Amino acid sequence: MLTDTHSHIYAEEFDTDRDEVVARAEQAGVGLILLPAIDNESYDRQEALAASRPGLFRQMMGLHPTSVGENPRPDLEIAHDKLFSSPDKYIGIGEVGLDFYWDTTYRRQQIEALEQQTGWAQKLGKPIVLHLRNGKDGSADTDAYAEVFRLLERCAYRGRGIMHCFSGTMADAERATASGFLIGIGGSLTYKKSTLPDIVRALPLKSIVLETDSPYLAPVPYRGRRNESAYVSLVAQKVAEIKGLSIDEVATATTENAKRLFNLTLIG
């Protein structure tokens, strides 16, 4: 069984054919799809989808860093209230993090929001799913990975999680896995100029989970089109090729990694 640990299949991009997209995922061997949250504009959509197929979908709660503005307090309060009023509905805190790619106007607010949400994860004993994106300028000030490692140390974070859509260096990956994080590998692995193959080759399979980030970052040969959960099979295929394993071995191991991280022992 394959697990897509990161899919926004509740997004508007799937409104016209969501049932068909879900059917294609199941036909591709996907038996579990995890739904990270974005913001208050999409929480209702996410929760409705999760409730429609509880055996297939599991959901998270959090405020995405690109949804953090000048005053994120009201949005954080909404996420907090949803999470703490029904903590059993959510398997983790996510997706949350730091995104410095386009600009750093709200850098301080993003850091403060992440600190707060990291506290939620610690209080509830749930894993955290991190969205980290460095600035285009490549400067130290926009190194999201360096900043998050400082934040986790400052918060004395002792939980576990996923570094989703990993785009850091090998040193970042080693530091993350040493801290108890899994590395989220998606369609970027298949891109011609990707550095991920070297990282996947070096990491043990126990440190990897698979994802799509649907509708974004579709793998080759669908790059540039809408991504969907069925395509996680192409990511598994590429991991298997790199590591000299069968797709079944990759699927089984990465699914077990996800189940263990999120304590999904009841999933078949």
Side-chain angles (χ1 to χ4, degrees):
M1 182 181 87
L2 284 161
T3 296
D4 183 355
T5 61
H6 203 106
S7 178
H8 302 286
I9 200 171
Y10 54 86
E12 293 179 358
E13 286 89 340
F14 298 99
D15 280 355
T16 60
D17 63 344
R18 186 172 290 106
D19 289 345
E20 291 85 348
V21 168
V22 171
R24 284 195 292 272
E26 293 184 301
Q27 289 165 6
V30 180
L32 181 61
I33 301 175
L34 308 186
L35 307 174
I38 299 174
D39 55 31
N40 190 43
E41 298 298 315
S42 58
Y43 292 154
D44 288 347
R45 300 169 63 88
Q46 171 196 338
E47 297 203 5
L49 181 62
S52 72
R53 293 283 304 276
L56 177 63
F57 299 115
R58 292 290 189 275
Q59 63 179 328
M60 309 174 207
M61 179 49 59
L63 182 64
H64 193 288
T66 61
S67 295
V68 172
E70 184 175 0
N71 177 24
R73 181 177 297 176
D75 290 324
L76 286 168
E77 288 177 352
I78 291 170
H80 175 276
D81 290 348
K82 283 184 170 292
L83 177 64
F84 281 86
S85 65
S86 303
D88 291 343
K89 285 173 59 175
Y90 307 102
I91 60 170
I93 313 304
E95 75 187 272
V96 301
L98 303 171
D99 193 316
F100 301 146
Y101 188 74
W102 294 110
D103 65 62
T104 55
T105 302
Y106 302 118
R107 185 179 192 277
R108 175 183 58 81
Q109 289 91 335
Q110 284 193 28
I111 293 170
E112 291 174 354
L114 180 55
E115 285 181 342
Q116 185 170 333
Q117 293 176 100
T118 298
W120 301 349
Q122 300 217 93
K123 187 170 184 178
L124 294 173
K126 295 182 184 290
I128 191 166
V129 173
L130 293 172
H131 168 114
L132 300 169
R133 201 175 185 200
N134 295 338
K136 293 178 71 173
D137 62 5
S139 70
D141 287 343
T142 61
D143 187 331
Y145 286 86
E147 189 65 53
V148 84
F149 287 129
R150 286 192 291 268
L151 185 150
L152 294 172
E153 185 173 343
R154 185 166 65 248
C155 295
Y157 184 69
R158 295 294 179 264
R160 302 185 68 209
I162 295 173
M163 292 205 172
H164 143 69
C165 193
F166 187 80
S167 59
T169 64
M170 188 67 231
D172 292 331
E174 290 172 344
R175 187 170 181 182
T177 56
S179 301
F181 281 82
L182 300 177
I183 303 300
I185 300 296
S188 300
L189 177 67
T190 68
Y191 299 168
K192 188 173 182 179
K193 295 183 180 180
S194 174
T195 60
L196 283 176
D198 289 339
I199 291 174
V200 167
R201 191 174 292 110
L203 288 176
L205 198 54
K206 68 180 181 180
S207 297
I208 293 172
V209 289
L210 307 182
E211 59 175 52
T212 60
D213 200 20
S214 302
Y216 313 108
L217 297 173
V220 173
Y222 301 104
R223 187 176 185 182
R225 307 182 206 174
R226 185 190 67 175
N227 201 1
E228 57 181 74
S229 288
Y231 300 163
V232 77
S233 61
L234 298 175
V235 181
Q237 181 179 329
K238 186 65 175 180
V239 171
E241 174 189 317
I242 291 168
K243 299 190 79 65
L245 300 170
S246 70
I247 295 178
D248 285 346
E249 286 175 306
V250 171
T252 298
T254 53
T255 289
E256 286 301 318
N257 293 343
K259 288 165 63 175
R260 188 165 49 249
L261 174 68
F262 291 107
N263 196 28
L264 300 176
T265 55
L266 298 181
I267 300 293

